[in-house]
Amino acid sequence: MTIDSRMNPTEADAQFDTLAVRAGIARSQFNEHSEALYLTSSFVFGSAAQAAARFSGQEPGNVYARFSNPTVTAMQERLAALEGAESCVATASGMSAILALVMSTLQAGDHVVASMGLFGATQQLFGNILSKFGIETSFVPATDPEAWRNAVKPRTRLFFVETPSNPLMEVIDIAAVADIAHAAGVLLAVDNCFCTPVLQRPLELGADVVVHSATKYLDGQGRVLGGAVAGRKEILDEVFKFLRTAGPSISPFNAWVILKGLETLRIRMEAQSASALELAQWLERQPGVERVYYPGLASHPQHELAMRQQRAGGAIVSFDVAGGREAAWKVIDATRMISITANLGDTKTTITHPASTTHGRISAEARAAAGIGEGLLRVAVGLEAVSDIREDLARGLLS
Ligand SMILES: *Cc1c(COP(=O)(O)O)cnc(C)c1O
């Protein structure tokens, strides 16, 4: 892993904050201070022999930007350092990171066990697309470790976990699920999008691989799409081979934006989490609010686990308002500042009504069974003053 070239090897285990701004730096001959953006699709060779050596992999170096570019390499090395991973491969989006992981670790006939509260597109990928290619997925109520054990079949190869879940913020015990996975010879993948390595380090808890939608907090400012897979080298070598051939590659520009986003990730996550906790505590006291879902609250069913597994509750707060869809829409429509969008992981606070947007395509019965009610709202807390966020929500709650 490239650390700033002036740091000596004993500093390679530098603190998180130092790695966030300096890991992956490889300066060009111009000695630029900020990391360079290499907008080039291909690279030239000094000779025919060098071209052959680069193509075969005998000589390290860049060939073609579908599978290597110095800006992308810098982003990969920095994220690997923050996740404590041996290796990392960046992809065009979070969904292509999950696709690359699946295509490089599974084959027809294999079986996946996944948590029920997955991001909508991930659910569609496992449930509707991979099933066409002979890969079957069982969705389990993930907070119960026994459900994972009971779902294992002879051809189970992958456990896929998202914690905390969307939108109900259920917390899954990564260490417990990792033990079950490894006893059965199964790989455990964790989508670490909601927490980022600032709040949760799945590999230290026993996960084999981490996937990211870098589109969310890693960029953190709503500018670009990106994704990544990080973990042990032998797994990532296979992910790289898939990327090299199939090409869901990240733009160097997007990688550069995300690389710079990582520099402020810790202070953003901590500030947004602190605001989310304050907002969740305030929401619990509002008469129109029936229930608040936030792992940082003592009232959360897995609060103790969350505080053991995560450094803070994260920046997403969901809550049920009394009065169903009509009351929930009223809260949204009364806002003047908060962005009405299903996106999350931005410095700007966003609000969404899951039952009619992100979870609108699943049947009313399935939604009810999953606990996603008509009065449920999800707020992804940004960097604005908490008092302004509170005031914006209060308008629709009190009127
Ligand atoms: C957004 C998201 C994804 C997909 O990422 P894209 O970058 O939009 O492809 C995957 N998992 C979670 C938890 C997400 O929030």
Side-chain angles (χ1 to χ4, degrees):
M1 174 165 315
T2 323
I3 310 290
D4 187 336
S5 55
R6 288 171 308 111
M7 291 173 75
N8 71 49
T10 59
E11 292 169 304
D13 60 347
Q15 298 293 312
F16 188 95
D17 284 351
T18 307
L19 295 169
V21 296
R22 292 199 179 265
I25 289 180
R27 293 199 170 91
S28 77
Q29 77 267 34
F30 299 114
N31 265 324
E32 65 281 355
H33 186 211
S34 179
E35 295 76 352
L37 166 54
Y38 294 93
L39 282 179
T40 180
S41 54
S42 70
F43 299 83
V44 294
F45 312 108
S47 66
Q50 190 183 40
R54 288 270 176 94
F55 263 83
S56 71
Q58 269 175 329
E59 181 185 304
N62 297 292
V63 174
Y64 185 57
R66 185 179 342 104
F67 50 94
S68 80
N69 173 287
T71 310
V72 175
T73 303
M75 179 206 143
Q76 291 173 159
E77 291 194 353
R78 189 165 293 176
L79 185 57
L82 298 186
E83 284 288 1
E86 276 175 12
S87 184
C88 175
V89 169
T91 58
S93 65
M95 288 320 301
S96 59
I98 298 170
L99 181 68
L101 172 69
V102 160
M103 296 299 274
S104 57
T105 53
L106 302 178
Q107 59 185 52
D110 285 348
H111 174 246
V112 177
V113 185
S115 48
M116 256 174 189
L118 291 180
F119 181 69
T122 311
Q123 218 158 17
Q124 303 280 327
L125 176 70
F126 283 113
N128 300 340
I129 296 181
L130 295 174
S131 54
K132 290 196 294 188
F133 299 92
I135 294 169
E136 187 209 345
T137 301
S138 307
F139 296 96
V140 295
T143 53
D144 174 15
E146 284 313 304
W148 294 86
R149 199 190 312 275
N150 295 336
V152 173
K153 297 182 182 188
R155 288 294 298 268
T156 306
R157 294 282 177 271
L158 179 70
F159 280 3
F160 193 92
V161 165
E162 207 178 295
T163 179
S165 72
N166 181 14
L168 293 177
M169 305 304 289
E170 291 174 326
V171 178
I172 297 159
D173 190 333
I174 296 174
V177 176
D179 284 346
I180 295 165
H182 297 153
V186 169
L187 286 180
L188 172 61
V190 175
D191 183 331
N192 204 23
C193 175
F194 274 31
C195 279
T196 82
V198 172
L199 302 185
Q200 172 171 282
R201 306 236 299 171
L203 300 176
E204 283 173 3
L205 296 165
D208 300 288
V209 60
V210 166
V211 296
H212 269 289
S213 169
T215 314
K216 311 294 168 54
Y217 294 103
L218 303 189
D219 165 25
Q221 289 146 87
R223 299 167 293 193
V224 296
L225 281 177
V229 187
R232 281 202 307 280
K233 187 173 177 306
E234 88 239 26
I235 301 171
L236 269 294
D237 284 351
E238 295 304 311
V239 174
F240 175 75
K241 281 183 209 162
F242 173 78
L243 177 97
R244 177 173 183 148
T245 304
S249 316
I250 192 168
S251 150
F253 178 80
N254 291 13
W256 180 81
V257 170
I258 293 160
L259 178 70
K260 301 305 285 179
L262 292 177
E263 296 184 2
T264 55
L265 180 63
R266 184 188 56 82
I267 52 178
R268 283 186 286 108
M269 286 310 288
E270 286 182 357
Q272 290 175 233
S273 280
S275 294
L277 176 60
E278 211 180 315
L279 190 74
Q281 288 166 336
W282 173 80
L283 283 165
E284 268 196 324
R285 297 194 300 270
Q286 302 312 299
V289 174
E290 289 180 332
R291 184 168 169 193
V292 182
Y293 306 84
Y294 183 69
L297 289 176
S299 61
H300 188 280
Q302 292 109 26
H303 175 65
E304 201 191 316
L305 167 63
M307 292 303 96
R308 192 164 71 231
Q309 182 163 287
Q310 303 173 202
R311 279 186 50 213
I316 297 161
V317 182
S318 295
F319 55 101
D320 285 319
V321 293
R325 178 176 296 209
E326 198 187 331
W329 281 21
K330 194 170 127 202
V331 173
I332 292 180
D333 291 337
T335 59
R336 293 183 200 153
M337 174 190 77
I338 298 175
S339 311
I340 305 170
T341 168
N343 197 23
L344 59 93
D346 201 289
T347 52
K348 295 177 177 67
T349 298
T350 66
I351 190 166
T352 191
H353 179 245
S356 57
T357 59
T358 52
H359 294 70
R361 279 177 297 175
I362 59 177
S363 70
E365 300 77 57
R367 254 197 326 268
I372 300 165
E374 288 290 329
L376 184 74
L377 289 166
R378 192 198 70 197
V379 173
V381 179
L383 280 179
E384 306 95 336
V386 196
S387 55
D388 287 332
I389 301 169
R390 222 163 36 210
E391 200 179 302
D392 211 27
L393 290 172
R395 250 190 296 276
L397 277 174
L398 302 178
S399 58

